[in-house]
Amino acid sequence: MDRRLGRRFRRYFPTQYLIPIVLLFGTSFGGLIALLIHTTAVQDRMEREREIELLANGFGGTAAMVVHDLQDYARWDDAVRHLVQAFDPAWADDNISAYLGVVQRYSHLMLLDEQGRVIYAVTGGHRRPPGFDPARLLGKGFVAAARRVQANGPAGEPVVGGFTGVDGKVYVFSVAAIVPLTGKVSLPPGPRRALVIANLIDQRFLNTISSDHRLPPLRLVPGVTPTSEGLPLIGAGGETVGRIMWSSHAPGTELRRLILPAFAMIGLIALGAAALILRRARSSIDALRGSELQALHQALHDPLTGLGNRRAMIEQVEQCRGAVALLYMDLDGFKETNDVYGHAAGDALLVEAGRRIATAAGSMAFVARSGGDEFAIVMNGTAAGHADRICEAVLASFHAPFAIDGYSVTAGISIGLVTSTGGIAADELIRRADVAMYAAKANGRDCCCPYAAGMDEEYDERRRLERDLSNAIANGGIEVHFQPIVEARCRRIVGVEALARWTHPRHGPIAPDLFIRVAERSGLINDLGRSVLVSACRAALAWDVELAVNLSPAQFWDRTLVNRIATVLHETGFPAARLELEITETYLLRRPDAAEEVLRDLRALGIRISLDDFGTGFASIGYLRRLSFDRIKIDRSFVTDVASDGRAADLARSITALAEALDLSVTAEGIETEAQAAIMRTVGCARMQGWLFGRPVPAIEMDRILGGERVAIRA
Ligand code: C2E
Ligand code: MG
Ligand code: MG
């Protein structure tokens, strides 16, 4: 419970600010309170000291006044005459009591004879029968003081005053020896008679003193008290006869009482302000932390698909311990979707592809979009054992077309798979997965290819070639040569086939089969195809023959293909009716629907289509009928043996018969000898192409050949 409270507290108030604020508050408020307590305590103490001093003066003054009051009556010739030489109580009444008792209001008035006996007493305004023990009335302290006064000679004191206590009562008294003022009267020798006045220190007395000195109410504690508080009343013999007690004014305490609530109030307000500041600080910290988290999320996530990004994928692979499987995937046909339907559709395809991949991968795997149209799945531990199954699931999930912007888009996926039981660095694993993915693409796409050591060299070489080829295409390094196609009967050149040529700066001429494949795998084929088509159209524009240009199956992925070709024709001014596009069977087999559509559109432009390398693929009669070509080109492999192998000639004959049945004209490729030419012509090939009639030559050469031929024909 406490811990939960603590957590909650910390959630509201950030600890890093809390401690300094608590310290600041603690020191400033603590210091101020301590200072307040100290100064008010000093103030209280000073006030107490002032009261004690006032009270001491008050009581001291009272004692002195009592002495002073008595002195005049005791040092008086008449008093000697009427009280010592002969005792006259009536005189005492009229002259002593009348003033000291009635006017001065002394409560006790006594005359002591030489032996210290009471011979005259007035208490409380009434005469009292004499002869009682004065100690009973005023205590032993008083009796001792009286003795000192009554003693004659040098030891005798004329007057003694002070405090005396008896039976819980305390009196202020004065006792004085009756002595003459002048030499007119004399005293008998021996002890002296003494006059006594005393006042009971009662509450009225105390009240008078306190009001005279503006002191708090006083209280008398008679006798010896264990406490040392208050003001002690000291008897004539030096003994304590009582103590005056009072509750001191405590101006400091009062001030404290006044200030503290205000202080508490200020403290509360300050605390509230501090809490507010802390709360704000917490909000800013939270906001900061939120944006930090967001930044972290953004740093590790692909904003489009919500999957991890390349960095997250690398981190995942780096964190893998033990068995790990990495699937590296690249969408087939993404670029085309992007080109045809626009970027929004491309994005939608990526999102949907990511969703399908993630679903296929399941919860045990980490899925990332590692680049443009590349995805990755990382599996660790036991999950790595299911890599094959997940590959299948991902491939299967791409079978259904994608519904993008109301269109049904088909996309494939090529998967490279690498597995390891541990000990392979993350970047090496990623590299291998990439190599395997390239191999998958090379294997005809839409498949999964596990990594094998032999792939590396090919991969590196291909990567280098790709780079060089890309440069060559961009810098006009791709040349086009033309090979004549002749009429079988008269061997007149009726067409030329454009064949791409690339002379590598280091490796020299590269076989088209190789660099075309590289271009197909790397997506350079569209640019290459366009470049060849443009060059070929420009060159062949002046020639009065048909132009055959090869179209790679990979170019069929490009939805803009037909548009691009139309644009080239438009730009170069080359008539569509003179253009023939040669395509191989590969693509047609894979996507007959899409092929049918593209071919129809091309034919609609007026372009003719021929099926190249016929016989090397698996084109069925059904396809030939459905796709309605204009021509088939019998592959060189059939031609090579026709002169020596009777069965080859039969095969060639069957093909031409089939073509005839399908209303297709036939061209024989790779004719190198007259014998081959004769047989192919006999079996029904309308056109022929091969070294016998001419090798592929640069445009200038072809210009010359065609110019010469025209001259020859004219001649
Ligand atoms: P292809 O379209 O079947 O072109 C015919 C190939 O046979 C050419 O090879 C040509 O030089 C070769 N050839 C012609 N007559 C003979 C002969 O009598 N004997 C022998 N041994 N060979 C002969 P090349 O130029 O090496 O091209 C190879 C393939 O590369 C082409 O086969 C074509 O499929 C492809 N290709 C060439 N240029 C392009 C291009 O611009 N675009 C595309 N997509 N593919 C191209
Ligand atoms: Mg060809
Ligand atoms: Mg061919």
Side-chain angles (χ1 to χ4, degrees):
M1 180 69 189
D2 276 356
R3 207 179 296 163
R4 203 181 318 151
L5 212 78
R7 260 206 311 274
R8 223 168 135 178
F9 189 80
R10 274 194 296 278
R11 207 173 66 221
Y12 281 107
F13 304 113
T15 338
Q16 66 266 45
Y17 294 119
L18 192 66
I19 293 167
I21 283 192
V22 165
L23 275 176
L24 183 74
F25 264 81
T27 48
S28 51
F29 270 88
L32 277 174
I33 287 173
L35 193 71
L36 180 74
I37 289 172
H38 176 72
T39 46
T40 51
V42 167
Q43 209 175 355
D44 282 354
R45 202 177 62 232
M46 281 167 65
E47 176 62 16
R48 178 86 180 163
E49 281 166 2
R50 189 187 72 89
E51 285 171 356
I52 288 173
E53 199 181 314
L54 275 176
L55 214 54
N57 287 342
F59 276 90
T62 304
M65 206 169 72
V66 174
V67 168
H68 179 267
D69 279 350
L70 190 62
Q71 251 175 346
D72 290 348
Y73 287 89
R75 199 175 184 81
W76 187 17
D77 290 355
D78 278 351
V80 174
R81 276 184 207 108
H82 297 287
L83 298 179
V84 179
Q85 290 173 347
F87 175 53
D88 181 356
W91 187 88
D93 281 346
D94 294 342
N95 292 283
I96 308 290
S97 295
Y99 187 73
L100 288 175
V102 177
V103 178
Q104 296 287 75
R105 291 180 163 270
Y106 282 101
S107 61
H108 291 62
L109 208 141
M110 285 190 294
L111 178 64
L112 304 181
D113 69 3
E114 290 75 3
Q115 282 72 44
R117 287 174 306 217
V118 179
I119 52 171
Y120 176 83
V122 177
T123 57
H126 300 290
R127 276 277 293 280
R128 206 178 149 143
F132 61 86
D133 183 2
R136 257 184 47 225
L137 192 66
L138 291 178
K140 288 194 177 109
F142 159 73
V143 173
R147 277 204 192 107
R148 274 157 48 202
V149 167
Q150 288 187 289
N152 203 352
E157 293 173 48
V159 63
V160 170
F163 298 95
T164 182
V166 66
D167 296 340
K169 290 179 177 160
V170 177
Y171 299 88
V172 58
F173 76 96
S174 170
V175 53
I178 303 169
V179 291
L181 181 67
T182 65
K184 288 178 190 164
V185 287
S186 61
L187 282 176
R192 292 157 181 184
R193 287 197 175 180
L195 254 180
V196 179
I197 51 171
N199 248 343
L200 177 67
I201 298 185
D202 56 5
Q203 198 52 50
R204 219 183 63 218
F205 183 94
L206 294 174
N207 290 350
T208 311
I209 291 216
S210 78
S211 73
D212 284 354
H213 294 88
R214 296 211 183 141
L215 286 166
L218 303 174
R219 188 163 55 86
L220 174 69
V221 179
V224 180
T225 48
T227 165
S228 61
E229 273 179 47
L231 178 75
L233 293 179
I234 308 298
E239 78 286 3
T240 301
V241 297
R243 217 166 251 282
I244 301 297
M245 310 292 274
W246 71 100
S247 304
S248 279
H249 277 141
T253 310
E254 205 111 304
L255 188 71
R256 208 161 34 198
R257 213 170 291 141
L258 277 175
I259 287 179
L260 272 179
F263 230 75
M265 202 65 188
I266 293 169
L268 275 175
I269 292 170
L271 242 133
L276 208 72
I277 291 169
L278 283 172
R279 194 77 194 89
R280 293 250 164 102
R282 162 56 77 207
S283 309
S284 343
I285 287 174
D286 284 350
L288 207 70
R289 200 162 289 162
S291 52
E292 251 174 41
L293 282 176
Q294 205 182 340
L296 193 71
H297 185 271
Q298 280 171 358
L300 293 175
H301 283 81
D302 166 44
L304 181 66
T305 59
L307 298 171
N309 59 14
R310 187 174 173 79
R311 196 177 137 194
M313 186 263 301
I314 294 171
E315 277 184 15
Q316 278 293 324
V317 178
E318 280 171 347
Q319 281 163 18
C320 284
R321 300 278 170 271
V324 54
L326 175 61
L327 270 70
Y328 228 59
M329 293 158 277
D330 186 282
L331 299 191
D332 303 327
F334 169 72
K335 193 172 176 298
E336 292 68 31
T337 303
N338 228 15
D339 289 343
V340 179
Y341 301 110
H343 291 290
D347 286 353
L349 175 61
L350 287 173
V351 171
E352 178 57 14
R355 198 192 60 74
R356 288 190 189 183
I357 292 169
T359 310
S363 57
M364 301 286 281
F366 176 82
V367 181
R369 179 182 166 214
S370 51
D373 62 343
E374 289 180 7
F375 292 84
I377 300 178
V378 185
M379 284 163 290
N380 194 14
T382 49
H386 304 300
D388 288 333
R389 196 173 48 74
I390 287 180
C391 274
E392 293 302 320
V394 172
L395 286 171
S397 74
F398 274 68
H399 285 164
F402 290 76
I404 306 289
D405 279 354
Y407 296 99
S408 175
V409 177
T410 328
I413 189 156
S414 302
I415 309 175
L417 164 66
V418 63
T419 50
S420 156
T421 48
I424 300 176
D427 47 356
E428 173 60 13
L429 268 179
I430 293 169
R431 193 194 65 81
R432 290 185 184 182
D434 198 31
V435 168
M437 186 187 80
Y438 261 80
K441 279 234 177 272
N443 272 4
R445 303 179 167 201
D446 223 358
C447 62
C448 176
C449 202
Y451 170 81
M455 293 173 177
D456 286 333
E457 218 170 298
E458 197 188 324
Y459 173 84
D460 291 344
E461 178 60 22
R462 199 169 53 234
R463 269 285 156 104
R464 265 197 301 278
L465 265 185
E466 261 174 42
R467 210 180 41 237
D468 297 343
L469 181 61
S470 168
N471 287 337
I473 295 169
N475 303 319
I478 303 297
E479 263 187 279
V480 182
H481 284 193
F482 299 88
Q483 187 178 29
I485 299 167
V486 299
E487 187 91 52
R489 275 179 223 284
C490 62
R491 297 196 178 179
R492 192 171 59 95
I493 300 177
V494 286
V496 289
E497 178 175 3
L499 294 161
R501 292 289 177 265
W502 177 32
T503 308
H504 191 274
R506 283 191 311 278
H507 305 306
I510 308 283
D513 287 323
L514 177 60
F515 74 78
I516 295 292
R517 205 162 55 240
V518 171
E520 285 171 347
R521 288 173 192 169
S522 58
L524 292 168
I525 192 67
N526 293 332
D527 291 339
L528 176 74
R530 187 179 184 281
S531 150
V532 170
L533 184 65
V534 170
S535 304
C537 287
R538 282 203 182 122
L541 195 60
W543 307 331
D544 193 16
V545 293
E546 288 170 14
L547 171 67
V549 177
N550 293 285
L551 199 63
S552 160
Q555 284 176 270
F556 273 79
W557 291 100
D558 179 6
R559 297 265 180 172
T560 57
L561 178 70
V562 179
N563 276 343
R564 277 174 182 244
I565 292 171
T567 309
V568 172
L569 291 178
H570 179 73
E571 281 171 5
T572 56
F574 193 86
R578 271 172 57 200
L579 181 65
E580 186 168 291
L581 294 174
E582 299 186 1
I583 57 170
T584 47
E585 296 156 306
T586 340
Y587 178 80
L588 312 175
L589 287 169
R590 190 110 57 87
R591 300 175 71 174
D593 296 340
E596 195 176 357
E597 200 182 311
V598 175
L599 294 185
R600 204 177 45 234
D601 292 348
L602 288 172
R603 288 165 70 90
L605 288 176
I607 299 167
R608 273 162 296 113
I609 311 290
S610 62
L611 186 59
D612 203 356
D613 303 341
F614 182 77
T616 53
F618 306 94
S620 66
I621 298 171
Y623 280 126
L624 291 180
R625 286 187 61 185
R626 178 175 172 187
L627 296 172
S628 61
F629 296 97
D630 296 289
R631 175 189 311 283
I632 58 170
K633 292 182 83 174
I634 301 181
D635 191 65
R636 184 159 58 84
S637 53
F638 289 91
V639 176
T640 313
D641 299 331
V642 282
S644 51
D645 185 349
R647 275 190 307 177
D650 290 344
L651 216 60
R653 188 173 295 111
S654 318
I655 292 173
T656 47
L658 174 72
E660 209 169 308
L662 290 168
D663 203 16
L664 300 173
S665 55
V666 180
T667 303
E669 287 189 287
I671 309 280
E672 293 180 359
T673 62
E674 284 295 348
Q676 288 168 346
I679 295 170
M680 291 316 283
R681 190 169 63 89
T682 320
V683 300
C685 289
R687 289 181 178 186
M688 286 191 273
Q689 180 181 355
W691 292 350
L692 180 67
F693 313 105
R695 296 201 176 217
V697 291
I700 295 183
E701 185 75 1
M702 186 49 72
D703 229 5
R704 206 182 46 74
I705 293 170
L706 288 173
E709 190 174 69
R710 264 198 296 275
V711 170
I713 289 171
R714 237 180 276 135

